[in-house]
Amino acid sequence: MPVIDTVLLPPGPDFFAGFARLLIGRHGDALRACDLVLPSFALAGRVRAALLAHAGTAVFMPRLLTEATLAARWSGDVDVDPRARRLLSLVDMLRRQGWLGNADLWTIARELLELSDELAEVDLPDEDELAALFARTHALSDCGALSLEARLVSAVWQSDRIGAPGHARARQLALLRAAASATRPLVVLLDRLAPVPRWVLSWGERAAVTVVRAQRPTQGTPLARALQAAWPVEGDEAPPLFLRQVAMGDMRELSRRVQVFSAQSLEQEARHAADCIAGWLVSGMRDIALVAVDREAARRARALLERQQILLADETGWKLSTTRAAATVDAFLQCLASDGYFRDLLDLIRSPYIAGGLDDDGHALAIRAIDEWVVDANHVEGLHALLADASRALPAGPAAGLIRALASAFAMMPTGKAPASFWTGRLLAALDALGARARLAGDLAGVQVIALLDTLVADSANVVTAFEFAEWRKWLNAEFEQALFRDDELDSPVVLTHIAATRLRHFDAAYVIGADSDHLSAASPRGILAHDGLRRELGLADAREAARQLQEDIASLVLCAGRVVFSWQAQRDGETCLPAAALQRLDRACVRSGLPSIMTPVPVQADPPAAVLPAFSAAPSLPAERVPQRISASALADLVACPYRYFARRVLRLGVRDEVEEVLGKGRVGEQVHAVLHRFHRAHPRLQDAPFDALVDDLGAAIAGSFAQAVAANFQEYAWADRLHQRAAAYVHWARTREAEGWQFEAGESDRERALTLSDGASLVLHGRIDRIDRSAGGHALIDYKLRNAKAVRASLESDEDTQLAFYTLLHDEDVVSAAYVALDEDSPIDVAHPAPVDAAVVLGGLLDDMFVALRAGAALPAHGDAAACSHCQMRGLCRKDWRS
Amino acid sequence: MSDALTALDPGRSVVIEACAGSGKTWTLVSRIIRLLLAGTQPGDILAITYTRKAAREIEERLQGWLGMLAVADDDAVRHFLCERGLHADDEMLMQARALFERLLSARPGLTINTFHGWFSSLLSAAPLSAGLGGLQLAERTARLRDQAWRVLTRRAGARPEGDLAQSLRWLFAYAGLTGARETADVLIDRRAEWEAWKAACGGGMEGVQAHLRAFFGGDAEDPVLALAADGPVREAVADLARLLGQGTDAQQKKAHALLEASADRDAPRYLALLRSALLTQAGVPVAFKPGRSLEKRGVAERAQSLFSQVVSRLDQCMRACADRHAWAVNVHGLMVAEAMLDAYDQVKRAAGVLDFGDLEWHASQLLADAQTGPFIQARLDARYRHVLLDEFQDTNPLQWQVLMHWLDAYAPDQVQPTLFVVGDPKQSIYRFRRADPRIFAHAREAFGQRFGAADIRRNETRRSSPAVVSLVNALFGQLETFEGFSAHHTTQHDLPGRVEVLPPFGHDAPPEDAAAPSGLRNPLLVPRAAIEDVRRTNEADALCRRLRDMAGRLCVRDPHTGEDRPARYGDMMILLRRRTGLAVYEAALRAHGIPYFGASRGRLLETLEAADLRALLGFLAAPADALALAHVLRSPLFAFTDAHLLLLTEEGVEPWDALRRADADAAPELRRAATLLDGWRLASAHLPVHDLLDRILHEGDLLARYAGRVDELAWPGVRANIEAFMELALRVDSGRYPSLPRFLDELERLRVEQDESPDEGLILGDDPSRGRVRVLTVHAAKGLEAPIVWLADAAAKPRGDTGARVVLSWPPGQSAPEHLSILLRKEDRGSVREGLLAGSEAAAAREDANLLYVAVTRARQCLFVSGVEPARGRLDDTWLERARSAVQSIPNAVQDDAGGCSTSFGELCWTEDAGACQPPPLSRVEPVAPPVGARRARQTMNDAQIWGSGLHAWLEALTNGEPAPPRPAGLDARQWNELEGAARMLIARPPLRRFFDPALYRQAQNEVEFVLTDGRIGRMDRLVEFDEDIWIIDYKSGFSESFADGYVEQMRGYADAVSQLLPGKPVRAALLGPDGELRQIV
Ligand code: SF4
């Protein structure tokens, strides 16, 4: 007959004093022969201090343990089935059984494993009975899907029993083993509502066991009464608030300790938290908790605190997958998955962990060289071709080293199916090849990443099933999601923690961030075990219990901490957020007692004092030597549209960097078309001489040829290729007509320069490339191809700001009789001719003279583009026009 | 019982059509309270509304009321209940007060959700075998679509001769890359309809194609050939030509053309010739008059009839051609779109997500299934007994299906649910989200039959002044498209109000000296002559002036207190049909110093401040990006002048290198920039983006510097945007696998994808007594109200449907669509879809009227309508014009000289300016706390230490009778075995046996911890008590001779403590080395 003695103690500042009194009272010196199992080691310090205080002199401690450490002592060399392996084998098993169609087995397997862990402590009936239980609780009979689930649960649970146990079950077994050979008296401190664990009961059969439970008092102090008024311990059984005793004095006592703030934004909430905590520190408080209910807000608050060198000891931890170190591994795998898609590659090479042999500068150089090369080559994807080309193009320097490392790393990876341990092992080898392992070892997360991979290799060693790359990556991802990364090298009295971890701990003050009804609520179970009725039958906690636990945790925090501030964001993305249920109850209790509502908006946070900056201007004048001496048609267009833009692009020579184009942009298509037409006319200087069809075939073939590579690389290029190809005949027809009218092709893609002597004696060189020059008896015609439709071309010519044709006329400078654009994005080409190019050239010459003389004399280049000019201008960050209107 | 109380009766099902302002939310929430009071369990109630925002508002209202009841005195509770048709006894009072806590603690709780939210919970309860486990809902799908498109084109490229490739190229040729992509995307938002349609066609593409073939007349003869082969028509053409040949010159010319045509045997050419002779470019018949010369010859009539005959045959042919073309578009388009769906599915599967379309489709599939439907109800533990549906006019056919499936899952012998449906077909404005307001009427019918639902219609508003109501009646009373409208009434009999329609704003007169004679402008001196549109600026300007006039002077009635008081900006709302031009209104508000809440959704990344941060991050990721560097340097963060930039851009040197080289003599700005940027550059490789940005904000003193640069009015917005950017970084960052390049890619994607771009930050921290004008689209204003509403840009025309889209017909109540096809361009409308298209145009026109209804009914007291003169076309059918003529038809309307008009009710009062002063700017005092916390040096154990602690662990385990201790990572199995052996050997050593054999001592403990009085903690490895003395033994791993010396002090202290704790026996202390030697110290 187990002898279990249960003692209830009220949580609060005196909890541990009472606990010490109890321990010493019961065991005295013999404490050294006792085992004391605490919920966590975070309480050990308080236990020691309380024992010492109570004894008043030196004192023996009981042996301090937690369930985890006790289990570790008793696990021995019993085989445990590591999670990673369980997952692999379960997926394998499910796949072979084929019960679940083409569902995502990884997700299902994960859910089943979680479930089997949850069931580690309970006894399940046999398969049929379990199915019946499922049916009964769901009030559903003859439901195939339900009985399938019951069968799955049963199978997974059985295999945990029969085969090597999973982690949770192994721990359970170890504890039972400890209990089975127990000799020492045991004291267990329980801070949860859960029933006394089985192993404790079994311990009681062999030695004395005392279970100490924290239980909130409902009477005695004003605080206890106030909490009872707001959050009755009986839960739903309590009479309604209106009938409860809610004394104003009690509530006032509570509202002195507890404040509730609503914030309008994440920033406001985080800032308030940071200010509060800093304020507490200033006022001399020490032990402070930031309870991260909303992790994003908490993270923001932490950053704000760190600015003031207030560092937080993080007890919550982050998924390993959210670390930069894990991101490096993923970047490598992503490159593999996307076959070297350039963005993925450029992401990978930027990781600080790779290129172990390079220093920071070398790494920066390598990144830059590879960046530029990828753009030049317009490499979109194709890992092996890319690495091969790159190693040819970048034969030396830091980039070459990096490319070599990448090549050998990628070469390590299997190309077909392979067992998980093999994949993982190769991944580690690849990281070595990248020189990454050593660098990863240099930081905390990196060490954990490597350790995880090592463990995975070992854990999956004897699963022989071969997986595709994508499957293995899913498994690996799941592990990275599962693993927790904690920076435990920080000591600080200010801790970042979660609500359950505050149980029974003392804080001078605590800030609960994110106390809205979504975040500060009990997690609801999902999936197979979501049904409350079923949970109760299986002996698991149901939703009601989870909610009560949360309420008790909050109450205990209020009891144990000197001050508690809650805050929540009253709205997010334009939607109202309600405060957590507990806070609403608290608020109503306050109002019921006659006090005002406890909820207050976060006080207005004022702006920082504005810094004094030099006056702003965007109308530079140039030192004479920086005034350009050459000008092209497009530079002139910049100057006409907006002098500041000209300054930025042509004087400062700033421009948007080229980018890899996944689909050929209009620019590149235009270049190809220019080149094709040029070659075509060079090959056929007199179109009359060849038969029409031959010309069409020739041009068509040239177009097809020029797009062949693009089309092979990307099917979308057919959009232009086909369109242009179809128009070959129309073009030939147009060109022949033109020739018949007396215009003879003379030159194409013709680079020209012409120096103008300005009135101040300096000279200005005009330069540019004229797409095509035709000649007739009367003189020359200049042609500029536009890959646009005629309407657009006409509109820009008529906008009277068009200077291109005038510029070419001025540049060509010999008997120009006509200048025209040819709109090519039409079923057949359409000429858009300048009405009076020669006159325009004369006027332009005068304007150039005016402007460049003035510039040399110090005239300013004002930023006064109009809406049209600015709409696609890349210099708005420099002229900062947005802020000047 | 009055209608109002019937609606609250927990036992009755009702369908309420309720006009704007009639208190839908009041009724719905009141009904929930009555349900709860009648003993309904919260978990038995399901309420569904259209948006999450609305769901939250219902929840808030419900909790607010219950919270109030929980603490209110008897009178208040009685009054509250009485308003809702209950005469409360004491017991009911108590019940009402208990509802608050009852609701909060209910498990399962009350469900207030959107359809989508509800569907999600259905899916999460789906059986494992449904294969939906673990899928996340992707609210944003643009990236997935792009990926799918890449998959699709790659597939096409892999089989260039395959059907997919051919269809894709067909589309490229017909509609270009953009058109093809649009077509491919067309089914993604119509996933569920498409699946239903496919099922209705027999389950596969073949069925669909067969249907289309028949539908578009694909089986008939080629219409062009048919025309060419149509002998009588050819005859008629020739006859007509002969007759015309006798007429005027022009007629003879036409005769020639016709003759040529009639002789042409080439079918396409024949058609082309006929077209050019008889139809205009636009495809309508040319004007045809036989004229006098034919009349004289007496053949006029015959010519006319021949003309009509030919033209109508031609028209028939053209239509048939268009239908054929539409068929081709559908054959290729659906092939590509279906392939796209497939590729999209693949991408989603890989990413483990589903989209809204999937959600609806899966929900309907799950519930339609006789097994899974009840399964889900059972698992959710949700056999709702009361279903409340809000904003029901916005329901789409799929949602209706799901709802019906859910209701069908109630076994006939089960208690049937009661239904409460409320909505207003007049406010149906979500056609673009596939809402079908016809479902409302259908539901009224269906629920009436099935649940005996009462049919309640309300036309009484509790919101608006009679002035506004008379406008509503005048506007919609006669409007044909607005069928089913009945005149509205208001309970606000005495609320003064005014409606004013302003004349349209036009261009200013062009300035006198506009023409520049010389032809070319000198851009250094003269900016380009503003050909910018000033119409809207003028409108915005007038609007702001009027709002400023009213603020603090015009008295409005406070909606909460019912008192009259001077208007605040918070009482004003500007409504716009669309976002176009929004920036102009916002700029005008800024310029007039009027505080406002912008509606500038999705523009965060376009703002200059966000662009600055992007440029900075871009530079940190790629320092060679000189433009990004220059951008950052010019931002307030560094506030460089152009002269500084000139210094950094000398020939041949990269600006970043030039900046880094800035030496001690360089300007301090340059050095500051170099130092900060270099620090951030190094940090950027390791730090998560949010942390990096935070450091930048802090070290760069960013906020203060920005505050110093932008003017006071713009500052709150700038600050809000910077904070919104931080939040974005935080959100993107907490995702998996963070890196700066990935973040930048994500930003670029968000920027390009209009619908997904993040919103501008919300401006906070203002004096609430003053408030802010709200600028909203009409869609966003649904459900809101304000004393003063200004409907601006009212001359804008609704945007017609363009681009590729789905033509769908799904009559309410039917289980599958009747028709589904693709429409890509106007040209392929054809004739067989005429009716369908006309139907959807009618629906669009009706929706446009609905939108106007929603806009004007937002106003409580004052409504202004303004707009600009259209650049082309006439004002006719615009809202502005409709409002103007409606106002004019009201008896007391007043016309003003400028062409505006107004109508008023009662007397609006004006007061002296109540002085809307701004609160004094506070400056922020941060508490300065001392540094707290420190990083501990990482401790790693050397081999000897690892060995030592291993031995320790073994000794512990062996002497405690525990199994093998867990092996630490640093030791392999062999070493571990060695250690075990060593430990066993130690224990067994004869000289040590007395310490380890229980038979030889009285008692012993391992790992005894104790606290000394001074608070220090000691831990001895083993404490052994004999009859005569007590031994403290500590295991040590040192090997050297003198190692023990270091412990003498410590062991003495231990011994002292133990003799204090266990007085009476001498205490000895010894160290036990790995060699098995015991070195006694005390
Ligand atoms: S944004 Fe406009 S004003 Fe600024 S440089 Fe460009 S064109 Fe000029």
Side-chain angles (χ1 to χ4, degrees), chain A residues 642 644-645 863-865 869-870 873 875-876 879 881:
Chain A
C642 169
Y644 191 90
R645 175 149 99 198
H864 55 207
C870 297
C873 180
M875 301 301 156
R876 66 189 269 253
C879 77
K881 170 175 165 158

Side-chain angles (χ1 to χ4, degrees), chain A residues 48 59 61 73 149 244 347 350 477 487 489 518 584 607 626 644 801 864 876 878 880, chain B residues 56 63 101 128 379 521 523 606 612 621 634 642 646 719 737 739 742 935-936 1007 1009 1011:
Chain A
R48 292 189 183 106
V59 59
M61 297 282 138
R73 285 169 170 275
E149 292 187 359
R244 293 203 290 268
D347 179 31
R350 277 183 168 71
N477 272 337
D487 178 356
E489 296 182 348
D518 291 336
Q584 293 193 48
D607 285 325
R626 295 293 295 267
Y644 191 90
E801 293 282 321
H864 55 207
R876 66 189 269 253
L878 271 65
R880 310 198 67 78
Chain B
R56 281 307 175 87
Q63 293 196 354
E101 286 176 301
L128 273 193
R379 177 170 287 167
R521 162 181 72 86
E606 295 303 324
D612 291 349
R634 284 284 279 166
D642 291 317
L646 277 166
R719 174 179 179 163
Y737 307 127
S739 80
R742 285 187 182 188
R935 190 157 278 284
R936 202 178 326 122
E1007 296 164 273
E1009 224 187 274
V1011 182

Side-chain angles (χ1 to χ4, degrees), chain B residues 161-481:
Chain B
E161 299 310 320
D163 288 347
L164 173 62
Q166 296 306 317
S167 286
L168 204 48
R169 280 174 79 174
W170 190 93
L171 283 177
F172 283 156
Y174 179 56
L177 193 55
T178 325
R181 172 68 202 271
E182 270 177 19
T183 310
D185 275 352
V186 97
L187 290 181
I188 286 182
D189 287 332
R190 301 291 188 136
R191 176 53 173 277
E193 285 93 331
W194 168 244
E195 297 293 350
W197 172 237
K198 260 199 320 198
C201 288
M205 262 318 248
E206 297 79 50
V208 171
Q209 296 289 15
H211 169 92
L212 289 173
R213 185 185 185 87
F215 180 80
F216 285 112
D219 292 324
E221 195 188 353
D222 179 345
V224 180
L225 295 180
L227 178 72
D230 189 337
V233 169
R234 207 180 269 275
E235 276 302 298
V237 173
D239 285 352
L240 182 59
R242 264 191 296 283
L243 295 181
L244 289 175
Q246 304 167 18
T248 61
D249 287 356
Q251 284 174 330
Q252 288 184 18
K253 236 167 108 190
K254 182 134 291 178
H256 227 89
L258 289 174
L259 213 56
E260 193 194 333
S262 73
D264 203 320
R265 292 283 146 193
D266 179 80
R269 218 158 45 219
Y270 174 59
L271 174 66
L273 290 170
L274 283 185
R275 278 195 61 165
S276 74
L278 299 174
L279 302 183
T280 64
Q281 283 263 305
V284 296
V286 295
F288 181 80
K289 270 218 202 88
R292 218 169 296 144
S293 60
L294 292 195
E295 274 166 18
K296 256 192 269 164
R297 288 186 169 72
V299 293
E301 227 166 88
R302 169 127 176 87
Q304 183 74 62
S305 100
L306 283 171
F307 177 79
S308 311
Q309 181 196 343
V310 175
V311 161
S312 90
R313 180 64 181 83
L314 196 56
D315 182 56
Q316 182 209 337
C317 169
M318 302 294 301
R319 283 161 173 277
C321 283
D323 283 334
R324 285 211 146 217
H325 195 253
W327 178 43
V329 168
N330 273 281
V331 167
H332 296 296
L334 288 175
M335 150 81 76
V336 169
E338 163 91 348
M340 179 75 171
L341 275 186
D342 189 57
Y344 183 56
D345 277 348
Q346 181 192 326
V347 167
K348 280 184 301 182
R349 246 198 324 273
V353 297
L354 38 76
D355 70 1
F356 283 125
D358 297 333
L359 200 57
E360 283 177 354
W361 177 242
H362 288 308
S364 91
Q365 290 301 96
L366 288 172
L367 292 189
D369 186 286
Q371 282 258 318
T372 48
F375 179 100
I376 288 173
Q377 288 201 347
R379 177 170 287 167
L380 284 178
D381 207 357
R383 296 182 175 90
Y384 304 116
R385 305 210 18 228
H386 301 277
V387 179
L388 298 94
L389 301 162
D390 185 27
E391 302 284 11
F392 197 72
Q393 74 281 358
D394 294 324
T395 306
N396 74 37
L398 237 313
Q399 292 166 341
W400 171 250
Q401 293 276 319
V402 179
L403 197 60
M404 293 315 283
H405 290 321
W406 178 270
L407 294 174
D408 290 343
Y410 286 80
D413 52 346
Q414 244 175 318
V415 188
Q416 297 295 306
T418 70
L419 269 101
F420 171 93
V421 176
V422 65
D424 184 6
K426 294 188 290 304
Q427 297 184 61
S428 164
I429 51 176
Y430 285 108
R431 221 168 51 95
F432 72 95
R433 290 188 197 150
R434 300 143 54 221
D436 184 349
R438 293 175 305 169
I439 292 174
F440 193 92
H442 174 76
R444 177 151 52 205
E445 191 93 344
F447 290 158
Q449 278 169 14
R450 183 160 169 185
F451 301 102
D455 172 4
I456 298 177
R457 306 189 191 210
R458 285 207 198 140
N459 290 306
E460 189 171 62
T461 163
R462 303 170 176 201
R463 176 186 296 161
S464 304
S465 149
V468 176
V469 172
S470 59
L471 172 76
V472 170
N473 289 335
L475 255 178
F476 300 103
Q478 268 90 47
L479 199 62
E480 258 171 56
T481 43

